[in-house]
Amino acid sequence: MWLAELSERSGVPIPTIKYYRREGLLPPGETAATTRAHYDEGHLDRLRLIRALVGVAGMPIARVREVLAVVDDDAVPVAAAMGSAHVQLSPEPAREPSEASRARVAALLRARRWRARVDGRHARALAAALDAMDHAGAGMAEETLAAYAEAVTDVARADLASTTDLSRERAVERAVTGTLLGEPVLLALRRLAQEGLARRPARG
Amino acid sequence: MWLAELSERSGVPIPTIKYYRREGLLPPGETAATTRAHYDEGHLDRLRLIRALVGVAGMPIARVREVLAVVDDDAVPVAAAMGSAHVQLSPEPAREPSEASRARVAALLRARRWRARVDGRHARALAAALDAMDHAGAGMAEETLAAYAEAVTDVARADLASTTDLSRERAVERAVTGTLLGEPVLLALRRLAQEGLARRPARG
């Protein structure tokens, strides 16, 4: 396809595509004439991935370049490539999480046998979120946290199931967009469930 | 307690307390002298509730006044008073949700027997979140949505269990702070579960 079609199908404006090309994020097309190049489905997948990293996840170009380097390295298993983008999604907490909350998260990881890094971004974000509840005088009870952890196990399983049988590029894109765009769904569902269950005459 | 202690224990600065009093959100204290008034635990609970509505939920004063009127009306059951604050937490979607997504949400409410309003704010927020996934070419599969709905049922049960045995003021405060401050916890847990389960050699 020509540049115009690539732009239309990807939803990325032509000047932005040219910028990604200059930055080396998008490989050049096959030169068909001195001023025209031909692009294929691989370019389209790559462009969709860049759009997800930049537009949905808000990553700076330098970080996008790092993620793409991992995607392009066939020696890296696809799950690890997905992880390299996924780990970037949690920002560093504004303040250092408390020792107590970090210990709670470490205990949770052991209990659930999740092979996540205890000093990783997601674990630190969780500890910071627990701290915020404590500071508001609304600390989360241990059994509530356990119920949440049990619930998200099923959510994460469903998420991971939807990323199988995809190309490397599409799998990484899905890890980013599925995680981020699924968040408003999960939160709205929780509020809806709270509303729906609170209106029942008897809880059960 | 005097004003200074009320300020210290609630974490609300004295000028802000005076502002809430002028706006009629906080009842006057018992006048002990021409320039001093005495406050009790009821004032402290009320102040914490106002802080949750204004500071955590970001509600404008006019809306806080409406919520407090419901809290003060003893003819309204406590669950309904909690609902009156809770329903305000979801903003109106920026664009009208699609017919297809609204139908999906309606079917979900019927299937789960959640007594939530199909044209309510939470239901519309969910439909808008599903639309956003569709627009990104990452539409949520029906079985994924069902897995999410099943998971949040347990989350919402745990949330509701933590609001029993509280005064009206504290129950409404908890409905607001527990919902909002619990959201970063839930999202960080999901990312952590995704990380932890993706790193397992075999999924199970």
Side-chain angles (χ1 to χ4, degrees):
Chain A
M1 73 193 92
W2 304 114
L3 185 58
E5 189 184 344
L6 183 67
S7 169
E8 198 182 302
R9 288 183 61 190
S10 66
V12 178
I14 289 177
T16 309
I17 295 179
K18 289 183 171 172
Y19 168 67
Y20 292 155
R21 230 171 38 187
R22 280 196 306 275
E23 289 289 320
L25 305 181
L26 185 72
E30 194 188 323
T31 309
T34 40
T35 57
R36 301 189 80 180
H38 204 254
Y39 299 90
D40 58 23
E41 298 294 320
H43 289 95
L44 190 61
D45 277 359
R46 168 61 60 114
L47 212 41
R48 284 180 175 146
L49 172 57
I50 298 171
R51 193 185 55 174
L53 299 175
V54 175
V56 181
M59 284 186 202
I61 295 294
R63 194 140 289 162
V64 171
R65 200 189 307 279
E66 290 168 18
V67 171
L68 293 179
V70 177
V71 171
D72 286 338
D73 183 351
D74 286 331
V76 178
V78 63
M82 290 161 71
S84 74
H86 186 265
V87 74
Q88 309 278 356
L89 300 181
S90 290
E92 268 300 312
R95 65 165 108 176
E96 187 64 21
S98 71
E99 202 55 58
S101 288
R102 285 162 61 193
R104 278 183 94 178
V105 174
L108 182 81
L109 290 182
R110 279 194 305 274
R112 309 281 334 168
R113 300 191 187 181
W114 291 343
R115 301 187 174 211
R117 273 172 295 207
V118 68
D119 59 347
R121 282 166 174 255
H122 302 321
R124 290 164 58 80
L126 174 59
L130 290 172
D131 281 345
M133 297 198 80
D134 287 337
H135 294 153
M140 185 173 276
E142 204 52 42
E143 67 259 31
T144 308
L145 182 60
Y148 275 45
E150 178 70 30
V152 296
T153 302
D154 296 328
V155 167
R157 282 217 183 92
D159 291 331
L160 292 174
S162 71
T163 59
T164 53
D165 303 324
L166 295 174
S167 71
R168 289 172 70 87
E169 235 114 14
R170 295 274 293 143
V172 175
E173 181 204 330
R174 180 55 68 100
V176 171
T177 56
T179 297
L180 292 179
L181 297 176
E183 292 180 349
V185 172
L186 187 64
L187 297 185
L189 270 171
R190 171 172 174 247
R191 292 176 179 188
L192 203 54
Q194 289 171 335
E195 180 187 352
L197 296 179
R199 281 166 182 269
R200 285 193 182 162
R203 285 172 192 169
Chain B
M1 72 193 92
W2 305 114
L3 186 58
E5 189 184 346
L6 182 66
S7 169
E8 199 181 302
R9 288 183 60 192
S10 65
V12 178
I14 289 177
T16 309
I17 296 179
K18 290 183 170 172
Y19 167 68
Y20 291 155
R21 228 171 41 190
R22 280 198 307 276
E23 289 288 322
L25 304 181
L26 184 74
E30 195 187 323
T31 309
T34 39
T35 57
R36 299 190 81 178
H38 204 253
Y39 299 90
D40 59 22
E41 298 293 321
H43 288 95
L44 190 60
D45 276 359
R46 168 60 60 114
L47 212 42
R48 284 181 175 146
L49 172 56
I50 297 171
R51 193 186 53 172
L53 298 175
V54 175
V56 181
M59 284 187 203
I61 294 296
R63 193 141 288 163
V64 171
R65 200 190 307 280
E66 291 169 18
V67 171
L68 293 178
V70 177
V71 172
D72 286 338
D73 183 352
D74 285 332
V76 178
V78 65
M82 290 161 71
S84 76
H86 186 266
V87 75
Q88 309 278 357
L89 300 182
S90 290
E92 267 300 312
R95 66 166 108 178
E96 188 63 20
S98 70
E99 202 55 59
S101 288
R102 287 161 61 194
R104 278 184 93 177
V105 174
L108 182 81
L109 291 182
R110 279 195 303 275
R112 309 279 337 165
R113 298 190 189 183
W114 291 344
R115 300 188 174 210
R117 273 173 295 208
V118 68
D119 58 347
R121 282 165 173 257
H122 302 322
R124 290 164 57 79
L126 174 58
L130 291 172
D131 280 345
M133 297 198 79
D134 286 337
H135 294 153
M140 186 174 276
E142 204 52 43
E143 68 259 31
T144 308
L145 182 60
Y148 275 46
E150 178 71 30
V152 296
T153 302
D154 297 328
V155 167
R157 283 218 182 93
D159 291 330
L160 292 173
S162 71
T163 59
T164 53
D165 304 323
L166 296 173
S167 71
R168 289 172 68 86
E169 235 115 14
R170 295 275 292 141
V172 175
E173 182 203 329
R174 180 55 68 100
V176 171
T177 56
T179 297
L180 293 180
L181 297 177
E183 293 182 349
V185 173
L186 187 63
L187 297 186
L189 269 171
R190 171 172 175 250
R191 292 176 180 189
L192 204 53
Q194 289 171 336
E195 181 187 352
L197 297 180
R199 281 166 182 270
R200 284 194 182 161
R203 285 172 191 168

